[in-house]
């Protein structure tokens, strides 16, 4: 994933393996997802794994997925809005883990600030 910015065509080769691995409930897989987000070609493939991670039972995975959502918004805001990731963040505000609540609120604030800057 270190080549994501300089050689995005190589990253796309790793995405299929990553998508399969994302069904494993390992927080390291989600961290790998964050690295994949540097290449715009991979974003469409990461929608389902990211949605699964946002709803995972492990609070660490949900937190990493929320961080991925913020990063994804920076890269492609319309993708986040069109695929319902903002609704997932709203659900995380009520999460049982306070860190997830903070991350979700921070992400929502980023989106609001970005929208108000554009108008």
């Amino acid at each position: 994933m270190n080549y994501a910015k300089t050689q995005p065509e190589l990253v796309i080769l790793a995405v299929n393996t990553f998508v399969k691995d994302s069904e494993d409930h390992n927080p390291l897989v989600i961290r790998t997802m964050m690295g994949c987000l540097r290449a715009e070609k991979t974003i469409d493939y990461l929608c389902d794994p990211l949605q699964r991670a946002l709803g995972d039972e492990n609070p660490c995975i949900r937190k990493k997925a929320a961080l991925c959502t913020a990063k994804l918004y920076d890269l492609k805001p319309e993708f986040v809005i069109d695929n319902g990731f903002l609704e997932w963040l709203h659900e995380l505000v009520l999460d049982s883990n306070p860190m997830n609540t903070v991350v979700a609120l921070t992400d929502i604030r980023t989106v609001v600030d970005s929208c108000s800057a554009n108008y």
Side-chain angles (χ1 to χ4, degrees):
M1 294 305 140
N2 292 334
Y3 296 104
K5 284 186 177 179
T6 59
Q7 297 178 350
E9 61 279 351
L10 292 178
V11 175
I12 199 74
L13 298 174
V15 169
N16 188 37
T17 302
F18 170 73
V19 170
K20 288 179 185 176
D21 289 348
S22 70
E23 294 178 16
D24 182 8
H25 297 284
N26 185 342
L28 294 175
V29 174
I30 305 304
R31 294 178 99 173
T32 304
M33 184 188 306
M34 291 178 80
C36 289
L37 288 174
R38 293 185 188 136
E40 194 168 329
K41 291 181 178 182
T42 64
I43 290 173
D44 294 331
Y45 299 101
L46 300 178
C47 183
D48 290 338
L50 186 54
Q51 286 177 337
R52 274 195 304 274
L54 285 165
D56 197 274
E57 63 186 36
N58 185 328
C60 182
I61 291 176
R62 290 192 307 271
K63 183 178 93 175
K64 294 292 182 191
L67 291 169
C68 285
T69 303
K71 190 172 184 180
L72 183 59
Y73 185 82
D74 286 340
L75 294 172
K76 205 170 181 182
E78 67 280 355
F79 184 83
V80 171
I81 294 166
D82 293 344
N83 287 288
F85 288 110
L86 291 179
E87 288 79 10
W88 281 101
L89 290 177
H90 283 112
E91 289 182 28
L92 277 179
V93 169
L94 301 174
D95 197 90
S96 60
N97 185 308
M99 283 303 298
N100 292 346
T101 299
V102 171
V103 170
L105 286 170
T106 303
D107 292 352
I108 291 169
R109 180 60 192 224
T110 301
V111 171
V112 169
D113 288 347
S114 175
C115 289
S116 62
N118 292 331
Y119 294 104

